[in-house]
Every structure is written in structure tokens, then in C-alpha cells.
Amino acid sequence: MSTVDSAAGAAPSAGARSRVVVRALAESDHEAVAELTVASYVGGGHIPAGDAYEAVLRDVAGRAARAEVLVAELDGEVVGSVVLTPHGTAMSETARADEYEFRMLAVHPRAHRRGVARALLRAVLDRARAAEGVRAVALTTMPSMRHAHRMYEALGFERVPERDWWLRDVLPEVEPAEDPGPFLVYRLTLDPADVTVLGRTVDSPESRPIPSQGAELAEITREQVAHLASLAHIRMSETELETLSGELGLILDSVSAVQKVAGADVEPTSHPIALHNVFREDVPAGMLTQEQALDQAPDAEDGQFKVPAILDGE
């Protein structure tokens, strides 16, 4: 299961321009990853505090022993992580033979809206493209992770409802009333026919896997939204600035997804329907006489239409 940035979280400091660095997990990162993962799941309202799954989220050493874990740094602080679980690996939940999977994508609430989740996702997709025989990326998410769903969909992931599953499917001892499912499955096809994924052409040389470490991603920051609001003379609260920065980022992600369809062979248009002006020669034709024009008028006087007065006086 994976979470991403939610609407909550502290705003970055004014004027901040930070780089998101994605790298391999180090043993010294374990405590920070445990705390940020629990903060993401519990703080986001996806599991209650003290839930049994919290122990799993805190067991960073356990998952590092069974899978590859990546972390994201922001200003030198570990604020995000993701677990890579391709088909056939110990922690894989839903991946099939030609699929790459990731789990536990989490970002600390104080680093929300900073491009951290997108940097981790980009690293996942780079690894998937580099893996032999992989044609798709799959993931499982919880119904409550609606912000994550919007982000995945904006990046081209599609729901695969026939593959949704319940916890009791793998743990029969779980009572139906205690099952937090259904868990939702999303899938992104990595097909050479696709034009772009995250803004890059899949089958072009520049789309070959590149190191995610040090990658700086374009994003809509709180400061940019505040500047636009100032130019438009719109007063916005801190909460509105924080929320809009994330929503505008999702719009940009959606535009990137549309670019997958609009290839180089599609001519730019200003309107979805072809428009054509209709011209004719300006030739004088027969006109109504004054009497004909006034013939159907409710009231007339001195050759003019007579209407009720709307102003005092003559």
C-alpha cells in the first residue's frame, strides 16, 4: 500500500527552492523512515494510532532485508521512502510476471507539496523501465488514499478493479468486520507505443533510465501561488495557498498525461471543433417600409415604437 502527499502539512519556508534527492536506504535512515511512514499513514487517517499495522510500518530493517528501499531527501533530511517489490520478490503483493510493483510510498506531512512523491515515483518508473521483461507497474492502495488516487491517475495509472483484494484473502484468520479492505489495484502500462510517461518519451534515447539522485523536478510552489495571488490582488490564507499549490501541481500532471495522446502528428488547435467563417457579398436587398415595421408593434406614435417610460420626466 502506498500514500502520497495530502492536503495537510506545514508550508515550506518563504522563498525556499529545494532539491529532492532520491537514493538507496542506509542503515542510519531506519529511524527517520519509520517515523515518516507512520506519520504518513496515521497522520493521513489511513490507519488508527496503535493499529497492529503500525508495527509493520516501523519495521524498516525487516523490509530492507527483503526488498530494495529508496529514500528521498529534502534539504538533507530524509522525508520520504518507497519499497521496490517486483514480481517474485518477498514483499510483492499484487505484481504479475511482467509487472514491477512498489509499496509503502510515504512522505512526511511536513514535506507535503514539495515534489517528494513525484521524485520517488520517477525513480520507481526508471527502475521498472530498466528491468528486463517488465511492461507495466502495479500498486495496491487503500480506499481512503484519495489524493494518491488522483495523483496516480494523473500520471496515467488505471484502476484494475477485478484485481482488488481483501486482507482475509491472504490471512484467513482475519474476521470480515476487521478487514480494512478492499485494497485497490492500479496499473500503468509501459508500452513503447506510449508517447510519454512523466514528460519523457518511453522509447527514445532520452527516456532510458537516468539516475534519480539529485533530480530537480518542476513544481508549483506555495511562493509562486502567493505571487500570482498578489498580482491578481486576491487575498489568500495560508491554508488556501498550501491547498492550491498541490491542486495546481495535479493539473500540470494531468496536462503531462494528455501529452501522451497528442503526439507530433497532431496539429495544435485553439478549439476542439473546426470553426469556419461564413461570408457573403454585402448586397442591398428589399427592406421593410416604416409602416410594415410598425404594423405589429404593441404601440406606436409619430412613426416610432412607443414603450413605457423608465425615467421620470419627459
Side-chain angles (χ1 to χ4, degrees), residues 116-202:
V116 177
R118 279 181 285 172
L120 289 166
L121 272 174
R122 181 172 180 173
V124 170
L125 295 179
D126 284 344
R127 298 300 181 91
R129 293 192 192 98
E132 185 176 355
V134 170
R135 297 188 61 81
V137 178
L139 66 97
T140 296
T141 181
M142 299 175 72
S144 62
M145 299 173 178
R146 288 180 291 274
H147 184 86
H149 304 165
R150 292 194 297 270
M151 181 175 181
Y152 296 140
E153 290 164 3
L155 295 177
F157 283 83
E158 297 180 342
R159 281 277 290 115
V160 194
E162 64 272 18
R163 292 172 59 180
D164 293 351
W165 54 279
W166 297 77
L167 187 59
R168 59 183 181 272
D169 293 337
V170 293
L171 297 175
E173 65 272 18
V174 175
E175 295 294 333
E178 299 175 353
D179 196 327
F183 298 107
L184 313 181
V185 176
Y186 278 81
R187 187 177 190 271
L188 172 67
T189 300
L190 299 178
D191 193 295
D194 288 341
V195 178
T196 59
V197 176
L198 287 181
R200 290 177 295 152
T201 305
V202 171

Side-chain angles (χ1 to χ4, degrees), residues 178-266:
E178 299 175 353
D179 196 327
F183 298 107
L184 313 181
V185 176
Y186 278 81
R187 187 177 190 271
L188 172 67
T189 300
L190 299 178
D191 193 295
D194 288 341
V195 178
T196 59
V197 176
L198 287 181
R200 290 177 295 152
T201 305
V202 171
D203 60 346
S204 69
E206 61 267 27
S207 73
R208 300 296 187 263
I210 59 174
S212 295
Q213 185 167 352
E216 185 170 9
L217 301 179
E219 60 180 294
I220 298 294
T221 66
R222 174 199 169 281
E223 288 71 33
Q224 290 172 323
V225 176
H227 179 62
L228 290 173
S230 175
L231 293 176
H233 299 285
I234 299 174
R235 181 179 299 173
M236 300 184 69
S237 67
E238 290 296 321
T239 300
E240 290 171 328
L241 290 172
E242 190 70 15
T243 300
L244 268 180
S245 63
E247 291 177 347
L248 291 173
L250 283 176
I251 291 174
L252 291 183
D253 290 336
S254 299
V255 171
S256 177
V258 171
Q259 289 175 339
K260 293 192 297 182
V261 179
D265 58 333
V266 178

